[in-house]
């Protein structure tokens, strides 16, 4: 610093305008340079020059808002600091820029601008007379110094007091003490102002204070404020607490507001404005103590990092996320059970059982505000309204809604985030979701929990367990955040197509609510109450322009869709709307000139020529024209025209399905061939069926091809389950296989309108099976008239809608004899009853 004494600066100086703070004489500052004007200055002046004078440039704080900075030169602040460029570093990352290390020498005033381009050059007048700086501050005050002397003395003493309060074992502090003693007093205010915490605005005031007296007057309050702050800090500081805790304790005691004291190494300029803004946000984010402490630590690191370092962006992103997370922001629940009931009923037709359970759940929540209830999991085929019920729940509670799709997630960091050590690391879906909704009590819909995968990267289900467990989720730790976030206010709802593939531990934490498929009638109602009005609105049509009669809807349901839910029905209605929209738009074009035609006889004529305004009604012909030929025909009766075919009912995660079983026989050695992607249980059922039929062949007069009493003698059997791409397994096809083979061995046709389901035993009993409701609905969809099911499944029929029950003929079977009798026209008589057991005769 003292080496600057006596320097005479050139009368013409190139000017560097910077947003990065205020350079004061006697301090050193790092300035990042990237504007074209400043880059030019560095290149043609600093890098090319050879003399000492060429390293001196004028640094002027740019007072224009950086966001509104334009190409033209802003009005120059009249006072600047001549600085000596000590170091110039260039880099191309992330964009070309230079970083200058500049030491302030003295103030100057701009007396005239000589040129603006390529960089500003100005005529300047040196303000600080460096050659007169001779009086060391340590010297006492003489009488002729007057007020200035007194001021400077007070200032010096305050500075000594401040340094005395600091920890002398820190090297910078020791350096500072030495500096204070050797500096001429004229430089004291500048040097001290650049070292203590002052805002850029305050520094600008110091720069503008040209007279020494004024400068002392301006800086003294800043210095005293700093001393007061430090005193307060020391009062609240507990022994051996680290820096962060020190700051924290001040915050908690409500003490020294805003900025905290810190002495920065090497006199570097403090954080730029945006770091300061970030710091303010950290203080305002209302986060828990642990998170706050981590943020402060990261902030501290950030301030020390040059912006060009890749880690700067990482740390910055992390802090941005931390301040954005809704640590303590939440929406207020507005739960009114009556309103909730109305809303659920309005949004969804049918699904009474589900709606009832959801209302119960909400009612309990209203009475008991703690959230430690079970997690609801809606299980059912696609398109039955699981997601949309979830959305309604959020609406009734007045909460934000967010859907997290889990299908195909096979990496636990998808849920829990990546550690920040990875390049491109990011938080998991839960934290991301919270950031998106901006409150800490949203409704999260975990969609498709049954499709979670597993891989080498860990099991995502295990991570979900932690999320869903009310005992643990108040301190959920995302790997990226690395601090706990309280998830206990989040309402989780899960959906799945089947419970079979949900990991058991996860299933254990959820209450499963089955959402079965819809009947044809329910679908028609849903279409007319919800889907058609929605689609009309989405396509900009009105009911006056398009009408879809119930008959047509029914046709769409049976001949163009085959599903348990209503998603493809909705798509088909969308297709009809699109086709009609074209017609309506064309029609409007034609009628336009008429509309603008002048009044009078001409218009009358036009009116008569135009077709009358009428809704477009979609009848069967229009339907075929729009959707093409029907995709599904009633194939049941067509396929049951040969012996050896029977119709079974299967349950799949996508709802119930009808399933054909075909059998044929040929000469051979009694072998059984099975095709159609079958599981082990299915193969066993086939063997069981054959054994039972062989055992009872005599009773039912079953024969082989040439009429021998053993149907397998000299015969090979081939059983086929069409739709080979789908894996089929489960015991419920047992009765169908028996019926199919009985038809083959007897040469009789199975009734074309019968479908069946049931497990068999070797003794010919029929055991109950699952999924009856879905299976019966599938049979009803396919136009079957009679359904054969196990006797012990009779109770499941109560769940069926009344109209389905009325339209179908149910035969409950306790044994295979009952099944065969119901499956064939005129029964399937046995000579002696197949299932009668030999009478026990007492030996007594
Ligand atoms: P999922 O989540 O079960 O696959 P969605 O909730 O996405 O199904 O439902 C698909 C569409 O069907 C949505 O547009 C939804 O509004 C509609 N929908 C399904 N069930 C009903 C219902 N009972 N009443 C009204 N609309 C329904």
């Amino acid at each position: 610093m003292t080496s600057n004494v006596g320097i005479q600066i050139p009368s013409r100086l190139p000017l560097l305008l910077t947003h990065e703070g205020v350079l004061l004489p006697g301090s050193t500052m790092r300035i990042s340079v990237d504007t074209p004007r400043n880059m030019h200055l560095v290149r043609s002046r600093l890098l090319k020059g050879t003399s000492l004078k060429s390293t001196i440039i004028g640094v002027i704080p740019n007072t224009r808002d950086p966001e509104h900075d334009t190409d033209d030169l802003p009005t120059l602040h009249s006072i600047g600091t001549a600085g000596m460029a000590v170091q110039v570093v260039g880099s191309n990352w992330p964009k070309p820029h230079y970083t200058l290390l500049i030491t302030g020498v003295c103030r100057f005033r701009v007396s005239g601008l000589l040129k603006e381009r390529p960089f500003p050059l100005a005529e300047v007048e040196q303000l600080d007379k460096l050659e007169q700086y001779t009086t060391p501050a340590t010297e006492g005050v003489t009488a002729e110094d007057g007020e200035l002397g007194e001021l400077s003395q007070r200032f010096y003493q305050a500075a000594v007091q401040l340094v005395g309060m600091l920890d002398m074992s820190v090297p910078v502090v020791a350096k500072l003490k030495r500096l204070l003693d050797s500096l001429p007093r004229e430089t004291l205010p500048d040097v001290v102002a650049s070292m203590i915490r002052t805002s850029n605005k305050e520094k600008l005031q110091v720069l503008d204070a040209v007279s020494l007296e004024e400068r002392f007057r301006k800086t003294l309050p800043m210095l005293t404020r700093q001393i007061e702050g430090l005193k307060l800090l020391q009062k609240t500081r507990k022994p051996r607490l680290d820096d962060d805790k020190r700051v924290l304790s001040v915050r908690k005691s409500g003490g020294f507001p805003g900025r905290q004291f810190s002495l920065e190494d090497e006199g570097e300029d403090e954080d730029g404005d945006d770091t300061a803004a970030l710091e303010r946000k950290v203080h305002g984010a209302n986060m828990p103590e642990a998170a706050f402490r981590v943020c402060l630590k990261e902030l501290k690191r950030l301030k020390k990092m040059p912006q060009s370092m890749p880690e700067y962006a990482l740390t910055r992103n992390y802090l941005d996320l931390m301040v954005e997370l809704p640590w303590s922001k939440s929406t207020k629940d507005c739960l009114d059970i009556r309103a909730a009931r109305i809303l659920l009923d309005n949004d969804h037709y049918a699904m009474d059982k589900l709606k009832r359970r959801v209302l119960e759940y909400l009612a309990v929540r209203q009475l008991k505000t703690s959230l430690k209830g079970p997690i609801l999991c809606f299980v059912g085929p696609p398109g039955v309204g699981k997601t949309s019920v979830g959305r309604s729940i959020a609406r009734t509670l007045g909460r934000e809604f967010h859907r997290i799709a889990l299908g195909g997630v096979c990496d636990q960091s998808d849920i829990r985030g990546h550690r920040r050590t990875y390049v491109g690391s990011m938080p998991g879906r839960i934290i991301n979701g919270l950031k998106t909704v901006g409150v800490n009590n949203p409704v999260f819909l975990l969609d498709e929990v049954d499709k979670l995968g597993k891989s080498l990267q860990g099991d995502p289900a295990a991570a979900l367990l932690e999320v869903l467990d009310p005992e643990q989720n108040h301190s959920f730790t995302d790997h990226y955040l690395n601090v706990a976030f309280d998830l206990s206010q989040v309402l989780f709802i899960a959906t799945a197509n089947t419970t079979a593939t949900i990991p058991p531990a996860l299933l254990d934490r959820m209450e499963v609510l089955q959402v079965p498929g819809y009947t044809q009638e329910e679908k028609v109602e849903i279409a007319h109450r919800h889907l058609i009005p929605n689609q009309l609105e989405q396509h900009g049509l009105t009911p006056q322009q398009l009408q879809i009669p119930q008959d047509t809807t029914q046709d769409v349901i049976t001949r163009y869709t085959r599903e348990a839910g209503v998603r493809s029905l909705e798509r088909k209605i969308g297709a009809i709307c699109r086709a009609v929209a074209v017609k309506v738009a064309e029609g409007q074009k034609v009628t336009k000139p008429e509309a603008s035609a002048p009044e009078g006889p001409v218009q009358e004529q036009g009116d008569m020529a135009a077709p009358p305004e009428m809704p477009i009604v979609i009848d069967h012909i229009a339907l075929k024209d729009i959707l093409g030929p029907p995709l599904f025909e009633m194939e049941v009766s067509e396929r049951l025209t040969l012996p050896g075919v029977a119709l079974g009912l299967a349950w799949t995660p996508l709802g119930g399905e009808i399933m054909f079983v075909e059998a044929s026989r040929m000469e051979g050695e009694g072998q059984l061939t099975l095709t159609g992607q079958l599981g082990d249980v299915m193969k066993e059922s086939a063997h069981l069926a054959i054994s039972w039929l062989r055992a009872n062949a005599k009773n039912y007069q079953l024969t082989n091809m040439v009429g021998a009493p053993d149907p397998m003698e000299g015969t090979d059997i081939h059983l086929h389950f069409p739709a080979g791409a789908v894996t089929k397994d489960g015991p419920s096809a047992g009765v169908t296989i028996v019926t199919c083979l009985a038809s083959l061995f007897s040469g009789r046709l199975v009734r074309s309108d019968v479908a069946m389901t049931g497990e068999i035993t070797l003794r010919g009993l029929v055991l109950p099976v699952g999924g009856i409701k879905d299976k019966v609905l599938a049979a009803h969809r396919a136009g079957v008239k009679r359904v054969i099911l196990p006797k012990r499944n009779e109770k499941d029929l109560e769940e069926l809608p009344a109209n389905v029950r009325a339209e179908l003929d149910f035969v409950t079977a306790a044994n295979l004899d009952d099944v065969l009798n119901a499956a064939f026209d005129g029964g399937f008589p046995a000579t002696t009853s197949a299932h009668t057991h030999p009478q026990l005769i007492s030996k007594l």
Side-chain angles (χ1 to χ4, degrees), residues 347-351 380-389 445 447 495 497 518 526 530-531 534 566-567 570:
D347 282 359
H348 300 96
Y349 179 76
M351 41 173 49
V384 290
K386 301 183 295 293
T387 315
S388 102
V389 170
L445 186 90
D447 219 359
T495 78
N497 290 144
Y518 296 116
I526 292 172
H530 300 280
L531 306 181
N534 279 351
V566 291
R567 201 167 284 153
E570 192 174 17

Side-chain angles (χ1 to χ4, degrees), residues 451-702:
K451 310 235 169 25
L452 279 177
K454 240 187 204 178
S455 72
L456 290 178
Q457 273 77 39
D459 183 358
L464 260 194
L465 272 185
E466 190 191 331
V467 172
L468 296 182
D469 189 346
E471 302 299 327
Q472 290 183 44
N473 70 5
H474 56 83
S475 60
F476 169 72
T477 307
D478 185 280
H479 285 158
Y480 181 82
L481 284 197
N482 212 13
V483 285
F485 193 99
D486 182 1
L487 294 181
S488 60
Q489 298 306 311
V490 180
L491 177 63
F492 288 102
I493 297 173
T495 78
N497 290 144
T498 166
T499 49
T501 49
I502 302 180
L506 204 53
L507 193 58
D508 195 42
R509 289 197 171 40
M510 303 193 286
E511 178 178 339
V512 172
L513 297 185
Q514 295 285 352
V515 195
Y518 296 116
T519 63
Q520 207 131 308
E521 286 67 27
E522 282 171 342
K523 284 188 191 177
V524 173
E525 281 299 325
I526 292 172
H528 283 270
R529 286 173 195 230
H530 300 280
L531 306 181
I532 296 178
N534 279 351
Q535 289 297 321
L536 284 180
E537 195 187 318
Q538 276 182 25
H539 290 84
L541 293 169
T542 62
Q544 283 74 42
Q545 288 166 319
L546 169 62
Q547 275 181 15
I548 305 180
Q550 298 233 348
D551 274 3
T552 312
T553 321
Q554 195 119 23
D555 233 25
V556 177
I557 293 167
T558 53
R559 304 176 73 189
Y560 292 90
T561 65
R562 183 162 286 177
E563 55 170 358
V566 291
R567 201 167 284 153
S568 40
L569 175 62
E570 192 174 17
R571 270 200 299 271
K572 297 287 174 204
I573 293 172
I576 295 173
C577 290
R578 278 196 300 279
V580 172
V582 174
K583 281 263 183 306
V584 171
E586 272 177 358
Q588 276 177 357
K589 231 180 181 170
V590 174
T591 50
K592 232 180 198 161
E594 290 163 11
S596 60
E599 303 232 344
V602 186
Q603 198 207 357
E604 252 177 54
Q605 209 179 6
D607 271 353
M608 276 165 67
E613 284 268 318
M614 244 196 206
I616 296 177
V617 180
I618 306 292
D619 57 7
H620 296 266
I621 300 164
L623 191 64
K624 203 164 172 186
D625 189 40
I626 295 171
L627 297 181
L631 300 177
F632 304 101
E633 287 294 352
M634 286 292 159
E635 53 182 348
V636 176
S637 47
E638 282 167 30
R639 291 181 69 166
L640 292 174
T641 51
L642 282 175
V645 186
L647 187 61
L649 293 172
W651 182 88
T652 73
L654 308 185
E657 292 271 3
I658 55 166
M659 178 182 68
F660 287 95
V661 181
E662 299 174 348
S664 71
R665 55 181 171 179
M666 56 224 92
E667 269 180 39
E669 292 149 7
Q671 277 191 354
L672 173 66
T673 312
L674 294 163
T675 50
Q677 283 267 344
L678 307 180
D680 288 340
V681 181
M682 201 84 152
K683 287 177 191 159
E684 283 171 12
S685 296
H687 284 287
L688 272 179
I690 289 188
S691 297
W692 184 82
L693 284 168
R694 284 176 83 179
N696 293 286
K698 224 164 154 191
N699 291 337
Y700 292 109
Q701 290 153 6
L702 305 176

Side-chain angles (χ1 to χ4, degrees), residues 82-282:
M84 198 184 286
V86 190
Q87 189 188 47
V88 181
V89 186
S91 164
N92 258 335
W93 202 92
K95 56 182 182 178
H97 71 275
Y98 293 105
T99 308
L100 311 181
L101 192 64
I102 293 198
T103 303
V105 177
C106 62
R107 282 178 182 71
F108 66 83
R109 187 190 303 281
V110 180
S111 40
L113 195 61
L114 298 173
K115 61 169 187 172
E116 279 190 26
R117 278 168 209 284
F119 53 84
L121 185 72
E123 190 88 45
V124 300
E125 171 201 348
Q126 183 169 348
L127 293 177
D128 297 330
K129 304 285 179 263
L130 301 177
E131 59 280 2
Q132 295 169 7
Y133 286 9
T134 48
T135 350
T138 35
E139 269 180 25
V141 196
T142 53
E144 73 262 26
D145 285 340
E147 201 189 340
L148 174 66
E150 195 192 322
L151 258 175
S152 73
Q153 195 58 27
R154 262 173 49 208
F155 190 90
Y156 172 73
Q157 276 160 4
V160 170
Q161 185 190 359
L162 175 73
V163 174
M165 290 167 85
L166 300 177
D167 183 355
M168 278 311 206
S169 62
V170 181
V172 206
V173 177
K175 203 167 134 194
L176 181 67
K177 175 120 182 48
R178 263 178 279 130
L179 192 73
L180 207 60
D181 292 341
S182 62
L183 277 181
R185 72 169 182 205
E186 289 82 352
T187 58
L188 258 191
D190 285 339
V191 172
V192 171
S194 63
M195 281 182 174
I196 58 177
R197 280 276 185 178
T198 43
S199 68
N200 283 340
K201 215 165 141 198
E202 286 170 331
K203 276 193 192 151
L204 201 62
Q205 285 174 6
V206 178
L207 179 72
D208 287 347
V210 175
S211 93
L212 189 58
E213 211 175 307
E214 196 189 340
R215 217 178 299 159
F216 272 124
R217 224 174 270 135
K218 281 257 151 43
T219 8
L220 193 56
M222 300 177 199
L223 183 59
T224 346
R225 183 186 66 195
Q226 196 75 83
I227 293 171
E228 290 307 311
L230 197 59
K231 270 190 198 156
L232 205 69
L233 207 57
Q234 284 178 339
K235 222 186 276 169
T236 47
R237 179 165 59 177
K238 294 184 192 83
R240 276 189 291 115
L241 277 184
D242 63 33
D243 282 358
D244 298 337
K245 285 189 185 156
R246 206 187 311 157
V247 173
L248 193 72
S249 58
V250 171
R251 185 178 87 121
K252 277 167 66 187
S253 70
F256 186 46
R259 291 161 168 263
Q260 274 74 37
F261 177 79
S262 90
L263 260 183
E264 300 203 19
D265 293 356
E266 309 302 337
E268 252 191 72
D269 186 52
E270 76 265 20
D271 49 312
D273 277 351
D274 62 337
T275 337
L278 190 62
E279 190 170 352
R280 269 197 303 281
K281 280 193 207 157
V282 168

